[in-house]
Amino acid sequence: MNPLNQEPLLSLDALPDGALAEAQAVIDGESESLVVYRSGEAVRAWLNVCPHAGRRLDWAPGQFLKSREGQLVCAAHGAAFELERGGCVAGPCRGDRLRPVAVEVRDGQVWLA
Ligand code: FES
């Protein structure tokens, strides 16, 4: 196991309710950027890769756009994703979805599950 995965992705305290954050993890031997989202006590994560053209979703590391409706908006061409299941609801990859990454909360920290 890569030592990166023996560390938490981030502290729950650093992720207020409704916030999006970026974290790094090693998945299948590759270092990946993740987008991590908190909704109440639930935390979800996806690869920080847009299904449209494979670009990062953030406009600068960890800086994600959110629409007034609370959707994650890709900084490259504006695809909008709902944050329950990561489905694209508008834009060039409508109907596609973000690739989920299983995470869990333990001892106030977010970990890969
Ligand atoms: S890469 Fe995200 S909308 Fe094009």
Side-chain angles (χ1 to χ4, degrees), residues 18 20 37 64-74 78-84 87-91 94 98:
L20 292 156
Y37 172 65
F64 295 95
L65 299 170
K66 222 169 154 190
S67 72
R68 246 176 289 152
E69 294 76 26
Q71 295 159 347
L72 167 61
V73 177
C74 177
F81 300 88
E82 50 80 17
L83 292 167
E84 283 292 316
C88 181
V89 294
R94 189 185 182 109
L98 301 175

Side-chain angles (χ1 to χ4, degrees), residues 29-95:
E30 301 283 331
S31 181
E32 302 277 8
S33 170
L34 310 184
V35 51
V36 185
Y37 172 65
R38 178 174 180 182
S39 174
E41 293 308 303
V43 177
R44 303 180 192 107
W46 299 274
L47 290 187
N48 184 15
V49 176
C50 181
H52 172 227
R55 303 263 289 270
R56 287 174 65 109
L57 297 154
D58 44 1
W59 54 271
Q63 303 297 310
F64 295 95
L65 299 170
K66 222 169 154 190
S67 72
R68 246 176 289 152
E69 294 76 26
Q71 295 159 347
L72 167 61
V73 177
C74 177
H77 313 108
F81 300 88
E82 50 80 17
L83 292 167
E84 283 292 316
R85 297 187 303 153
C88 181
V89 294
C93 51
R94 189 185 182 109

